């Protein structure tokens, strides 16, 4: 890997511009987030999805002296997958069971707590989790496990509006951090385990009125409808449960979608099953589809394409890249959706050829069978929702990866509203034990793995890179680790006492840089002594 | 959507308690349609540990045995499937890594399926318990490394409850081919994978060689029990060398060392502990 450039981003950002937490977050501020690296205002830190902090006060030279600055305990059980926001000294985050809270970001002392009262019969897929909030114009926004979108007063947590987006009893839920774009709140549904019909919604941030909905499974008469056999589209899945990115230049939203339902059984839904496992380019004002790219056609292995798509510019090329759950790293032209390259970044056995566009295609015998057979990656994928990071300094894409193979076997199931609908069973394959977890650095120009660090076991932590020449991530054993971005050698670590399922963020208050991550049921803040 | 195998070990208390676990009898008992639906549910949610036909897998016991350890009535079963068995790999509903929790009706369907699969045979009749005990503590030397009811060694896992959590075949395989699948050790509440009994050889800064099993490990530290049952709590960057293998610290018992009949007696002894 390259050494990070020596140009430390101006210290100017450390001068306190708005010490009184008052200025509202406008859409202009979100578009120009690069001008205020002291704040972290969207899920990925900016619209491009890079999860890169331009702060460099904490750097390769002083990282070994990092210390915890505060810990905030939720006192709850369940996983924290939250990526907090920080704006002008206030930190906003979420916990399990749809709790939202605001903290004094300097000290970790809470300002307010919102706890949603959830019905007993909600149908969350994979834990009662939430991945974070969006902020715009004095409000923060949360999607809930009972499929509502809620706007709260950023200063008090008081509910300003609360709208039902879909019926939670049939398996719709929200776990995603919404994205604020212009005056809209963009959110995608979860529920690919229940045979929902997936969608992406836009709500007027001021009123909660729905402005548009894009169904990720086209209805009769719509283009793509013929990629579904018979009535299968009605329960076609294709949820949209991770936060997309936005290009203000073209006004396009890039939103990824998940698996078709039932997730691991293709019988009954012959066809490509659009727009499951796609990257969608949607007009932000209208939700109209500009282009789509499908990563895994007619998926039978639960390989959602919901990983954060990251926008990069290489010379005059406007790219969008994604490390997909199916084991390939894809580079697309983001104006047209044309595939530029797809390279293997993890262990995979499902594909040994590519179609004329260059897209890896499945071998015939990769499908699940009644007695079961081993396919790599397993159902959890070569990566998953864990947020990746791209450092413009090292020109490297960093991600959490896993090598794990599963035995996939079919288990036919009828569709019943609100019931799990997989059509298959999978379990870890003994052939492939032990499962390996990595932090990897990929060169997007070539797809080459430039560096890697092997964790003790696979982790569910996201990744942050910073202008200090650092990469941060957490591990399943409870460590928070700072790496030298140039070679992925650990420089510092801290034992937090519980596994990490969340991505780190960075911000600064009064010229002091903080790095934050959730582990167990606590948020940890680190800084220099 | 994601399905988190890691969740296997999560306490999902709220979910467990929201299920009504007080019904005494399976409302779907004896219904073949329910049993059929239950089979699919079982394959999806349970087969990863209990095997595709419920006859037990590497990680979970045979559920076709009519005599069970924790679960006698349908209500017991409902309770165990809903809440898991704390301190064991048996997860609470919705936390087994296959993602979605089952509804009450789906749990009853699984119970109908399991009841339809039960075979009435006493596994304890397959060997001589008393002789097995003698071998365990005597010639076969198992007790050098394994504790049973508070007596024995510490290097390997305590085997008091092993017959309740693993199948007969899996136990025999552990003795004949210890390295094929290493036993699970410590499980931590938030962690996806339990620690396995991997074998370690390290050389410390002062040149001392230590060989033993891994009690726990992360990227920076390791906690070892050596062959003489001493604990070593070490930082990896201070070690001269660190070698980990999946070659079990337990010797492979071939039939020359321990004949099939002897082994069946040992297994009968282990099984008899569980029946109590």
């Amino acid at each position: 890997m390259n050494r990070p450039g020596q140009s430390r981003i101006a210290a100017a950002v450390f001068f306190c511009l708005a010490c009184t937490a008052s200025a509202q977050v406008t859409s202009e501020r979100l578009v120009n987030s690069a001008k205020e690296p002291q704040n972290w205002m969207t899920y990925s830190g900016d619209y491009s999805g890079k999860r890169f902090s331009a702060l460099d006060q904490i750097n390769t030279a002083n990282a070994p002296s990092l210390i915890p600055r505060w810990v905030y305990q939720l006192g709850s059980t369940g996983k924290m997958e939250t990526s907090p926001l920080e704006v002008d000294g206030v930190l906003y985050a979420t916990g399990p069971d749809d709790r939202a809270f605001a903290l004094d970001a300097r000290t970790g002392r809470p300002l307010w707590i919102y706890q949603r009262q959830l019905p007993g019969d909600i149908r969350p897929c994979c834990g009662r989790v939430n991945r974070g909030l969006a902020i715009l114009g004095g409000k923060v926004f949360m999607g809930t496990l009972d499929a509502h979108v809620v706007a709260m007063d950023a200063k008090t947590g008081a509910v300003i509006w609360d709208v039902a987006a879909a019926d939670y009893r049939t398996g719709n839920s929200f776990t995603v951090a919404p994205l604020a774009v212009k005056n809209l709140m963009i959110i995608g549904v979860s529920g690919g385990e229940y045979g929902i019909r997936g969608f992406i919604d836009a709500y007027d941030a001021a009123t909660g009125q729905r402005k548009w909905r894009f169904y990720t499974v086209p209805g009769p008469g719509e283009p793509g409808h013929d990629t579904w056999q018979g009535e299968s589209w009605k329960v076609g899945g294709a949820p949209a449960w991770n936060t997309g990115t936005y290009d203000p230049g073209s006004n396009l939203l890039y939103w990824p979608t998940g698996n078709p339902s039932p997730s691991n059984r293709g019988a009954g839904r012959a066809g490509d099953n659009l727009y499951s496992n796609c990257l969608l380019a949607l007009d932000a004002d209208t939700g109209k589809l500009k282009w789509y790219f499908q990563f895994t056609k007619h998926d039978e292995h639960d390989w959602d394409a919901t990983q954060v798509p990251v926008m990069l510019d290489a010379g005059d090329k406007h790219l969008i890249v994604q490390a997909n759950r199916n084991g390939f790293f894809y580079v697309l032209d983001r104006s047209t959706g044309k595939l530029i390259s797809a390279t293997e970044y993890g262990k995979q056995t499902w594909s040994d050829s590519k179609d004329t566009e260059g897209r890896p295609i499945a071998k015939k015998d990769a499908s699940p069978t009644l007695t079961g057979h081993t396919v790599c990656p397993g159902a959890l994928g070569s990566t998953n929702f864990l947020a990746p990071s791209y450092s413009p300094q090292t020109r490297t894409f960093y991600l959490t990866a896993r090598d794990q193979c599963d035995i996939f076997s079919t288990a036919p199931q009828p569709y019943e509203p609100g019931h799990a609908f997989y059509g298959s069973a999978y379990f870890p394959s003994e052939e492939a034990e032990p499962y390996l977890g990595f932090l990897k650095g990929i060169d997007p120009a070539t797809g080459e793995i430039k560096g890697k660090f092997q964790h003790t076991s696979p982790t569910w932590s996201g990744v942050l890179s910073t202008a200090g020449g650092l990469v941060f991530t957490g591990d399943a054993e409870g460590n928070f680790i700072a790496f030298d971005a140039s070679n992925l050698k650990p420089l510092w670590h801290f034992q937090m006492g519980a596994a990490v399922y969340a991505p780190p963020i960075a911000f600064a208050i009064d010229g002091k840089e903080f790095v934050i991550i959730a582990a167990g049921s606590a948020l940890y803040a680190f800084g220099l002594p | 959507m994601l399905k988190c195998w890691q969740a296997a070990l999560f306490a999902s208390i709220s979910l467990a308690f929201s299920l009504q676990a007080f019904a005494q009898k399976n409302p779907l008992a004896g219904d073949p349609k329910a049993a059929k639906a239950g089979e699919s549910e079982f394959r999806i949610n349970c087969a990863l540990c209990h095997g595709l036909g419920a006859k037990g897998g590497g990680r979970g016991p045979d559920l076709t045995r009519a005599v069970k350890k924790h679960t006698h009535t349908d209500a017991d079963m409902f309770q165990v499937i809903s809440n898991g068995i704390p301190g064991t790999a048996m997860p609470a509903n919705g936390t087994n890594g296959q993602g979605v929790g089952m509804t009450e009706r789906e749990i009853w369907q699984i119970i109908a399926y399991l009841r339809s699969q039960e075979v009435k045979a006493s596994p304890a009749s397959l060997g001589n318990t008393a002789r097995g005990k003698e071998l365990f503590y005597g010639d076969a030397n198992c007790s050098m490394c394994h504790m049973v009811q508070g007596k024995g060694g510490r290097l390997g896992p305590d085997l008091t409850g092993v017959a309740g959590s693993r199948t007969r075949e899996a136990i025999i395989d552990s003795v004949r081919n210890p390295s094929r699948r290493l036993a699970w050790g410590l499980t931590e509440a938030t962690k996806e994978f339990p620690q396995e009994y991997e074998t370690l050889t390290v050389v410390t800064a002062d040149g001392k060689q230590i060989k033993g099993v891994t009690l726990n490990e992360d990227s920076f530290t390791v906690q070892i029990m050596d062959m003489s049952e001493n604990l070593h709590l070490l930082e990896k960057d201070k070690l001269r060398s660190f070698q980990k293998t999946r070659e079990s610290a337990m010797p492979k018992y071939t039939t020359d060392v321990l004949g099939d009949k002897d082994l069946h007696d040992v297994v009968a002894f282990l099984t008899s502990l569980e029946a109590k």
Side-chain angles (χ1 to χ4, degrees):
Chain A
M1 303 199 157
N2 315 325
R3 278 226 56 94
Q6 291 309 304
S7 66
R8 300 282 184 220
I9 302 267
V13 301
F14 289 117
F15 295 121
C16 182
L17 301 173
C19 295
T20 49
S22 58
Q24 288 202 346
V25 176
T26 58
S27 83
E28 290 69 38
R29 280 181 77 184
L30 295 178
V31 169
N32 298 311
S33 62
K35 290 195 190 139
E36 38 181 316
Q38 74 276 18
N39 288 323
W40 191 276
M41 300 188 288
T42 55
Y43 178 74
S44 294
D46 68 9
Y47 275 142
S48 73
K50 292 193 181 73
R51 198 168 285 273
F52 171 79
S53 168
L55 301 177
D56 62 2
Q57 188 180 55
I58 301 172
N59 55 49
T60 47
N62 58 25
S65 60
L66 279 167
I67 53 162
R69 301 293 300 269
W70 52 257
V71 180
Y72 176 66
Q73 300 274 0
L74 270 74
S76 63
T77 56
K79 287 172 288 180
M80 285 181 83
E81 293 184 357
T82 193
S83 181
L85 305 176
E86 188 279 345
V87 184
D88 303 332
V90 181
L91 185 135
Y92 306 91
T94 57
D97 284 306
D98 288 347
R99 183 187 307 189
F101 52 92
L103 309 179
D104 173 345
R106 187 195 329 247
T107 63
R109 296 294 298 151
L111 304 175
W112 56 257
I113 297 171
Y114 167 83
Q115 175 62 61
R116 187 164 187 82
Q117 298 308 313
L118 288 164
D121 54 347
I122 53 164
R123 308 297 280 145
C125 153
C126 312
R128 299 160 77 93
V129 298
N130 183 283
R131 278 179 227 98
L133 303 166
I135 186 163
L136 185 68
K139 298 190 202 68
V140 293
F141 304 85
M142 175 165 74
T144 69
L145 293 168
D146 56 347
H148 282 234
V149 185
V150 181
M152 285 164 264
D153 186 308
K155 288 185 185 165
T156 64
V159 172
I160 295 175
W161 53 257
D162 176 336
V163 297
D167 186 354
Y168 72 83
R169 288 166 305 182
T170 54
N172 294 283
S173 63
F174 290 120
T175 56
V176 65
L179 188 67
V181 170
K182 295 182 164 175
N183 63 333
L184 298 176
M185 196 48 48
I186 316 289
I187 193 163
V189 74
S190 305
E193 272 56 51
Y194 292 97
I196 59 149
R197 183 179 176 208
F199 60 81
I200 299 161
D201 276 355
Y203 294 87
D204 183 326
T207 63
Q209 194 190 11
R210 195 164 91 204
K211 289 299 185 187
W212 53 257
R213 166 168 291 183
F214 180 85
Y215 274 109
T216 54
V217 180
E222 290 173 336
H225 182 68
D226 56 357
T227 64
W228 294 88
Q229 178 186 354
E231 302 284 278
S232 62
W233 65 277
K234 287 186 177 162
V235 293
W241 53 275
N242 215 356
T243 308
T245 50
Y246 171 65
D247 187 346
S250 60
N251 195 37
L252 286 180
L253 266 179
Y254 299 100
W255 209 279
T257 65
N259 63 272
S261 293
S263 57
N264 304 43
R265 185 170 149 84
R269 56 170 169 83
D272 285 351
N273 306 141
L274 292 172
Y275 299 99
S276 67
N277 294 352
C278 281
L279 182 61
L280 303 174
L282 303 175
D283 181 292
D285 297 331
T286 62
K288 287 236 162 15
L289 182 66
K290 172 94 182 295
W291 57 255
Y292 70 89
F293 178 83
Q294 192 175 31
F295 298 92
T296 311
K297 296 184 175 191
H298 186 70
D299 176 24
E300 297 177 294
H301 299 95
D302 201 5
W303 291 332
D304 301 69
T306 44
Q307 300 73 45
V308 176
V310 181
M311 304 192 307
L312 309 178
D313 291 322
D316 57 353
K317 284 204 230 95
H318 301 301
L319 308 176
I320 192 154
V321 305
Q322 191 197 55
N324 193 275
R325 194 155 152 175
N326 70 16
F328 287 86
F329 180 80
Y330 294 79
V331 180
L332 308 178
D333 179 327
R334 75 171 180 268
S335 325
T336 61
K338 286 254 167 329
L339 177 64
I340 294 172
S341 65
T343 30
E344 205 171 310
Y345 70 89
K347 179 169 174 174
Q348 70 83 20
T349 60
W350 67 277
S351 174
D352 57 4
S353 59
K354 292 183 172 171
D355 66 12
T356 50
E357 291 171 67
R359 171 188 4 239
I361 47 177
K363 296 189 221 168
K364 273 239 141 35
D365 63 2
S367 297
T369 59
L370 190 65
T371 46
H373 74 133
T374 301
V375 177
C376 320
L380 299 178
S382 297
T383 191
N384 205 299
F385 65 86
L386 337 157
S389 177
Y390 175 80
S391 164
Q393 233 177 31
T394 58
R395 296 205 192 86
T396 304
F397 183 97
Y398 300 97
L399 85 160
T400 293
R402 87 159 50 199
D403 283 348
Q404 171 174 341
C405 307
D406 281 346
I407 297 171
F408 291 87
S409 78
T410 54
Q413 255 181 322
Y415 171 78
E416 277 185 71
H419 286 227
F421 186 49
Y422 310 119
S424 158
Y426 68 85
F427 30 91
S429 167
E430 308 262 332
E431 281 170 45
E433 271 183 311
Y435 319 120
L436 306 179
F438 302 94
L439 169 65
K440 288 188 179 174
I442 300 176
D443 179 352
T446 61
E448 187 198 339
I449 311 277
K450 294 205 291 183
K452 68 178 178 191
F453 173 83
Q454 188 177 335
H455 293 291
T456 302
S457 69
T459 170
W460 289 88
S461 175
V463 182
L464 166 76
S465 61
T466 75
L470 296 171
V471 170
F472 290 92
T473 194
D475 72 20
E477 288 72 32
N479 291 298
F480 188 49
I481 313 170
F483 294 87
D484 183 331
S486 67
N487 57 21
L488 296 186
K489 293 258 183 309
L491 297 172
W492 165 88
H493 59 92
F494 180 84
Q495 175 56 248
M496 300 183 290
V500 178
Y501 293 87
I505 67 157
F507 58 84
I509 304 174
D510 296 345
K512 286 214 162 67
E513 184 178 348
F514 288 77
V515 183
I516 304 272
I517 191 153
S521 55
L523 270 185
Y524 290 79
F526 298 93
L528 294 170
Chain B
M1 179 106 184
L2 67 148
K3 295 173 189 164
C4 301
W5 165 244
Q6 86 265 3
L9 306 160
F10 260 101
S12 173
I13 294 161
S14 41
L15 187 66
F17 284 133
S18 68
L19 286 164
Q20 183 258 90
F22 305 110
Q24 287 305 301
K25 189 93 189 100
N26 186 353
L28 306 173
D31 173 353
K33 279 233 292 288
K36 187 83 203 137
E39 180 176 4
S40 262
E41 290 292 334
F42 188 87
R43 287 171 73 96
I44 290 164
N45 293 290
C46 324
L48 73 159
C49 294
H50 294 288
L52 281 172
K55 291 195 176 60
R59 301 297 189 203
D62 183 350
L63 298 177
T64 65
R65 297 175 308 173
V67 181
K68 294 188 173 61
K69 178 178 171 187
H70 305 272
T71 52
H72 307 292
T73 64
D74 286 355
D76 294 342
M77 272 215 189
F78 191 97
Q79 199 280 352
V80 157
I81 297 169
S82 300
N83 301 334
I85 304 174
T88 77
M90 174 63 198
N93 181 28
T95 67
N96 73 342
Q98 305 277 313
V100 180
M102 291 168 293
T103 60
E104 225 173 273
R105 193 162 63 92
E106 286 162 341
I107 294 177
W108 288 126
Q109 285 170 344
I110 285 193
I111 295 171
Y113 163 69
L114 289 176
R115 292 295 187 209
S116 75
Q117 296 300 304
E118 282 176 354
V119 285
K120 319 251 179 266
S122 167
S125 63
L126 281 160
N128 180 329
T129 306
R131 212 172 142 265
K133 182 173 183 180
E134 257 166 52
L135 284 164
F136 188 90
Y137 286 106
D139 287 354
N141 242 335
C142 312
S143 66
M144 189 172 100
C145 303
H146 291 288
M147 202 167 275
V148 155
Q149 294 179 329
K151 248 181 75 195
R154 302 183 177 87
L155 189 71
D158 187 318
L159 296 181
T160 311
V162 73
S165 31
R166 307 192 60 213
T167 63
R168 214 171 161 274
E169 290 68 34
I171 294 172
I172 290 172
D173 196 44
S174 284
V175 178
R176 293 281 185 237
N177 300 293
S179 305
R180 179 141 67 204
R181 186 191 287 127
L182 296 177
W184 284 356
L186 184 70
T187 58
E188 290 178 78
T190 64
K191 239 190 104 182
E192 179 180 3
F193 297 104
Q195 178 63 47
E196 292 176 297
Y197 276 83
E198 292 162 321
T199 308
L200 273 178
T201 310
V202 305
V203 179
T204 59
D206 52 11
K208 196 169 77 177
Q209 199 197 59
I210 298 166
K211 187 172 178 194
V213 298
T214 316
L215 298 181
N216 210 350
E217 185 195 355
D218 68 8
S219 287
F220 307 102
T221 73
V222 63
Q223 292 75 30
I224 308 177
M225 176 176 284
D226 72 18
M227 304 308 266
S228 322
E229 302 186 350
N230 298 306
L231 296 179
H232 300 272
L233 315 176
L234 304 169
E235 283 172 280
K236 287 183 176 174
D237 63 356
K238 307 225 160 75
L239 296 175
R240 236 186 250 173
S241 80
F242 177 85
Q243 261 189 322
K244 182 163 74 169
T245 79
R246 300 182 62 76
E247 200 57 47
S248 175
M250 168 164 161
K252 194 174 155 104
Y253 283 79
T254 57
T255 43
D256 334 333
V257 182
L258 189 72
D260 280 337
K261 187 178 172 308
D262 291 348
L263 179 52
H264 287 162
D265 290 347
V266 171
V267 175
F269 164 60
L270 294 174
T271 309
S272 72
L273 303 166
E274 183 242 337
K276 276 170 207 152

